[in-house]
Amino acid sequence: MSKKILIANRGEIALRALRACKELDLKTVAIYSSGDKELKHLRLADETVCIGPANPLESYLNIPSILSAAELTQADAIYPGYGFLAEDADFAERCEASGFIFIGPSSTVVRQMGDKITAKELAEKSSIPTVPGYKGKIPQDETEVKKIASKIGYPIIIKASAGGGGRGMRVVTQEDELISSIQLTQQEAKNAFGNDTLYFEKFIKNPRHIEIQIVADGNGNAIHLGTRDCSMQRRHQKIIEEAPALNINAESLDKILKACLDLCIDIEYSGVGTLEFLYEENEFYFIEMNTRIQVEHPVSEMITGFDIVKAQLKIALGMNMTLDQKEIVFRGHAIECRINAEDPETFIPSPGTIEKMHPPGGFGVRFDSHIYSGYVVPPYYDSMIAKIITTANTRESCIKRMLSALDEFFAIGIKTNHSLHQKLLQDQTFCENKHDINYLEGAFLKK
Ligand code: MV4
């Protein structure tokens, strides 16, 4: 009997997951909110269940509603995708407790990595370099705290242990701002996460954001699919990602990759995951680990030919698969442009009807999207509507191919960031691969 997967997400990643299920002869249940009746993957799924109103709090974030849909359809496993409940340890735990397979690592590992202090400690135990700082209990005594901060050296960054992805952090440049910054960050962390535990790090000023994709089976086998460079971002939203990251010190990369695999083995990691690093002056600094599939996974797939989503399903369902690093062959380069329904200058979301659209195509062009002519982009969710991925032998030819793909692609009726991508791909700093995490919001937009 073939297993049944409930896809607990929407948009392009729900479609991506559905395609992978079909290839593995798995049955599918697509859940949707009442604001999402026109989603493409609903027409392709074996069963569909409306789980609530358009408001994500009442649908895609509504755990009882999702578990009811899984009961009702007798699903075996739940695919969380990214965003929504993908890294919610309570959700993973409740799936497990209700007898459903959570397609991802164990709720224990999701919880450990969700706590950024614990994540850092686990990384250090497996010899992964982290940002120098302080992660004990922050003392009440002001002189003590000041001592700790000056030992690290200003500027420092205060982070909430329950934060991550850019939430709950504050940079402190001098001692007279330290105490008030701690109080502010603590209060914000308490309000946002119900947990006010903080830690300190040296603030890395102009790093690149490099990440490593791993795949592990929880049984002593782990492989990596190399690096991605995700430095082109605005307000913690990545805009362009590529694989592999170029101009990385080969010796330190080799060490880091090995340490990442050691971590996976040490914590019995099961599923796919991403270790995030800041990279500056030939040094890697681990910051966080994501225990989910990421938006930018296609660029790693394109340079390895390894289907990351299929691997998630196979590992979680205990299907036969081998994870052998020797079988992973890296070839060429890949770039992804995230197409958002938003104003290219103000970045204000622009939902509405896509009156007409044409996807790009051709050799080395991949279009991961749920949109079609006549589709209405709802206002309730993330504004990303498509991902264009190009693959070629070199970074330079990838950029050329992307410019051509962007020329082909159009979606009228809504505003998109199409023109921003065209500008970025012709930008000298980007073309020379000299941008860092501050470039887009800083030098580029101030031009
Ligand atoms: C930092 C940092 C500089 N120094 N930590 C932001 C998201 C979260 N994952 C960690 N982040 C940062 N941590 C130290 N010690 C700068 C950032 C940061 C950042 C990191 C990656 C990608 C984009 C970013 C944008 C602003 C700040």
Side-chain angles (χ1 to χ4, degrees):
M1 259 279 282
S2 85
K3 295 243 164 82
K4 195 186 273 189
I5 312 301
L6 181 140
I7 301 170
N9 213 301
R10 64 178 305 283
E12 75 85 20
I13 196 64
L15 178 59
R16 171 75 184 86
L18 183 127
R19 287 169 173 159
C21 288
K22 282 200 165 184
E23 279 188 48
L24 291 172
D25 294 314
L26 298 165
K27 294 209 184 84
T28 51
V29 180
I31 59 166
Y32 64 100
S33 79
S34 56
D36 258 347
K37 292 185 177 138
E38 307 304 324
L39 280 176
K40 173 167 168 169
H41 80 291
L42 299 179
R43 321 280 171 102
L44 302 164
D46 295 312
E47 291 168 81
T48 61
V49 182
C50 182
I51 52 153
N55 179 351
L57 288 172
E58 298 179 75
S59 47
Y60 303 108
L61 292 168
N62 184 339
I63 297 176
S65 195
I66 295 168
L67 292 178
S68 300
E71 298 276 357
L72 182 78
T73 55
Q74 296 187 297
D76 298 289
I78 298 179
Y79 186 84
Y82 52 68
F84 299 122
L85 298 168
E87 290 181 288
D88 185 316
D90 293 332
F91 177 59
E93 195 176 310
R94 287 171 70 177
C95 289
E96 292 163 357
S98 307
F100 302 113
I101 297 169
F102 173 79
I103 301 175
S106 69
S107 61
T108 308
V109 167
V110 175
R111 201 176 298 286
Q112 284 176 318
M113 289 304 172
D115 184 90
K116 304 306 163 189
I117 292 180
T118 307
K120 233 182 135 171
E121 282 167 353
L122 289 171
E124 283 167 6
K125 263 197 215 161
S126 303
S127 307
I128 298 173
T130 61
V131 192
Y134 181 85
K135 56 185 189 310
K137 184 143 182 57
I138 312 284
Q140 288 289 327
D141 185 85
E142 293 191 6
T143 2
E144 283 299 309
V145 192
K146 285 180 181 166
K147 231 193 243 167
I148 291 166
S150 32
K151 201 170 154 210
I152 298 168
Y154 291 92
I156 67 158
I157 182 166
I158 305 171
K159 295 184 178 180
S161 191
R167 303 182 322 142
M169 0 182 278
R170 180 167 273 102
V171 180
V172 184
T173 50
Q174 53 200 44
E175 189 171 83
D176 61 10
E177 297 163 355
L178 180 65
I179 304 300
S180 62
S181 293
I182 292 172
Q183 285 166 347
L184 263 173
T185 316
Q186 216 154 30
Q187 196 52 53
E188 285 168 2
K190 204 169 175 179
N191 295 341
F193 321 115
N195 174 347
D196 66 0
T197 309
L198 306 179
Y199 62 108
F200 294 167
E201 282 179 352
K202 174 104 195 125
F203 179 63
I204 312 290
K205 284 193 195 121
N206 294 304
R208 291 158 66 190
H209 177 142
I210 308 293
E211 52 187 39
I212 293 173
Q213 175 73 54
I214 58 88
V215 184
D217 66 3
N219 277 315
N221 304 299
I223 59 166
H224 68 78
L225 302 179
T227 53
R228 294 188 286 257
D229 188 326
C230 308
S231 302
M232 197 60 88
Q233 60 87 39
R234 178 183 171 272
R235 301 200 182 165
H236 307 292
Q237 293 292 328
K238 296 163 186 165
I239 308 241
I240 299 176
E241 305 100 335
E242 50 189 295
L246 298 180
N247 309 326
I248 300 289
N249 180 284
E251 211 174 303
S252 44
L253 177 60
D254 200 51
K255 264 195 256 166
I256 295 288
L257 291 170
K258 282 202 183 74
C260 289
L261 299 186
D262 286 344
L263 173 72
C264 294
I265 310 285
D266 293 347
I267 66 174
E268 294 180 36
Y269 195 93
S270 162
V272 312
T274 301
L275 290 99
E276 291 190 357
F277 295 87
L278 301 177
Y279 182 80
E280 191 183 61
E281 290 170 0
N282 294 329
E283 299 288 340
F284 279 95
Y285 304 97
F286 169 86
I287 45 173
E288 290 171 22
M289 180 170 188
N290 303 318
T291 55
R292 58 164 198 280
I293 187 79
Q294 291 199 244
V295 174
E296 60 271 26
H297 74 276
V299 291
S300 302
E301 294 184 327
M302 298 320 289
I303 62 160
T304 58
F306 185 97
D307 188 321
I308 300 173
V309 176
K310 249 159 79 173
Q312 285 188 289
L313 294 163
K314 288 168 93 171
I315 292 166
L317 299 176
M319 293 163 80
N320 200 21
M321 84 172 304
T322 48
L323 292 178
D324 183 353
Q325 192 68 53
K326 287 194 295 293
E327 285 178 17
I328 305 300
V329 183
F330 296 93
R331 191 183 181 289
H333 200 84
I335 297 184
E336 171 177 281
C337 287
R338 294 190 189 188
I339 306 297
N340 296 334
E342 67 187 17
D343 185 294
E345 264 132 44
T346 63
F347 299 97
I348 292 168
S350 172
T353 303
I354 300 175
E355 275 144 28
K356 210 168 169 50
M357 68 81 74
H358 275 195
F363 187 32
V365 179
R366 169 173 170 180
F367 185 67
D368 275 24
S369 173
H370 57 295
I371 67 170
Y372 51 85
S373 291
Y375 177 71
V376 182
V377 180
Y380 315 104
Y381 313 107
D382 189 273
S383 64
M384 191 182 76
I385 54 164
K387 308 187 299 201
I388 303 175
I389 303 105
T390 59
T391 313
N393 289 334
T394 64
R395 183 173 191 268
E396 199 185 0
S397 39
C398 257
I399 293 174
K400 276 254 165 79
R401 196 162 267 172
M402 185 64 82
L403 281 164
S404 163
L406 285 167
D407 274 343
E408 256 180 61
F409 172 61
F410 75 88
I412 50 175
I414 54 163
K415 290 183 194 170
T416 75
N417 62 351
H418 183 266
S419 62
L420 173 71
H421 280 299
Q422 287 179 316
K423 283 182 194 135
L424 281 169
L425 290 162
Q426 295 173 84
D427 180 78
Q428 188 180 352
T429 306
F430 175 75
C431 290
E432 291 175 357
N433 201 23
K434 287 184 176 152
H435 57 291
D436 60 39
I437 62 167
N438 302 308
Y439 180 67
L440 178 51
E441 284 167 271
F444 178 79
L445 286 178
K446 281 173 193 137
K447 257 188 253 183

